[in-house]
């Protein structure tokens, strides 16, 4: 049974503060990799103020401590196994976890291919929003690290998500 204390609001923002992806989740627990939340099939989310979407499959999200990324892990029947967002360090307060999405994404597709996505958006937003140089360099460093870690299955990318996903599947 899920209690109100188990509920958390996941809020991604864009640089400058505008609302990006946001949705409810259930706090599952934490381990050496960070804090895990789960979203069962049927979870409703929104990108900014767009109409809500309903996710048909369950998933879990890892919010590592003091790192510039988050990672979504999907079940076997999803085309994307792992979807990492390059973000500012996630902050927890008052039942909410929030971070700034810095455009770059690292994906591991179900067939094993690794892909760095949205490099064009990242370049465009550096100019449009005036990303500070330290944010740009941290985002690029994090993306490079994630590409290697996801490819080699290091840390949480070696299957740590399975036990957490089993709690929401």
């Amino acid at each position: 049974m899920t209690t109100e204390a188990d509920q958390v609001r996941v809020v991604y923002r864009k640089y400058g503060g505008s609302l990006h992806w946001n949705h409810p989740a259930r706090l599952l627990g934490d381990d050496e990799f960070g804090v895990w939340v789960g979203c069962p099939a049927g979870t409703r989310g929104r990108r900014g103020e767009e109409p809500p979407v309903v996710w048909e499959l369950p998933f879990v999200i890892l919010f590592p401590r003091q790192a510039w990324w988050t990672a979504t892990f999907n079940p076997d029947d999803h085309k994307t196994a792992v979807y990492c967002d390059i973000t500012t360090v996630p902050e927890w307060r008052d039942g909410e976890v929030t971070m700034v999405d810095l455009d770059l994404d690292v994906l591991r597709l179900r067939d094993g291919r690794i892909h760095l996505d949205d490099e064009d958006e990242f370049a465009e937003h550096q100019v449009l929003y005036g990303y500070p140089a330290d944010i740009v360099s941290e985002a690029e460093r994090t993306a490079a690290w994630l590409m290697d870690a996801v490819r080699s299955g290091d840390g949480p990318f070696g299957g740590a998500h399975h036990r957490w996903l089993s709690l929401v599947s």
Side-chain angles (χ1 to χ4, degrees):
M1 176 174 201
T2 302
T3 68
E4 191 172 313
D6 295 331
Q7 294 299 307
V8 64
R9 184 109 193 116
V10 176
V11 179
Y12 287 85
R13 295 192 174 276
K14 284 298 195 175
Y15 198 82
S18 65
L19 191 59
H20 193 44
W21 282 107
N22 60 101
H23 58 84
R26 182 167 53 101
L27 187 61
L28 300 175
D30 63 278
D31 61 14
E32 67 271 28
F33 303 116
V35 179
W36 295 83
V37 303
C39 296
T43 297
R44 294 169 54 96
R46 293 178 77 166
R47 182 167 41 191
E49 299 301 326
E50 293 177 11
V53 297
V54 177
W55 289 301
E56 295 179 16
L57 297 172
F59 58 93
V60 294
I61 307 173
L62 170 61
F63 298 99
R65 295 174 194 85
Q66 301 306 309
W68 284 63
W69 56 274
T70 66
T72 300
F73 296 85
N74 295 303
D76 290 342
D77 43 352
H78 193 283
K79 67 179 181 177
T80 304
V82 180
Y83 191 107
C84 300
D85 286 287
I86 309 321
T87 68
T88 58
V89 174
E91 296 179 13
W92 294 83
R93 65 177 156 287
D94 301 325
E96 181 176 286
V97 58
T98 188
M99 60 253 102
V100 175
D101 182 302
L102 296 171
D103 312 312
L104 294 172
D105 304 304
V106 173
L107 289 68
R108 184 176 72 218
L109 303 177
R110 191 57 60 194
D111 64 10
R113 287 180 295 148
I114 308 296
H115 176 66
L116 178 61
D117 199 23
D118 292 333
E119 291 175 279
D120 55 341
E121 185 180 338
F122 181 62
E124 179 184 313
H125 286 175
Q126 287 177 54
V127 175
L128 184 64
Y129 298 115
Y131 289 178
D134 60 330
I135 293 217
V136 171
S137 63
E138 189 62 37
E140 290 172 338
R141 186 196 65 74
T142 298
W145 179 86
L146 277 169
M147 289 289 289
D148 290 341
V150 171
R151 181 176 290 111
S152 62
D154 288 346
F157 306 108
H161 69 283
H162 291 295
R163 83 173 178 124
W164 302 106
L165 191 55
S166 72
L167 299 175
V168 293
S169 296

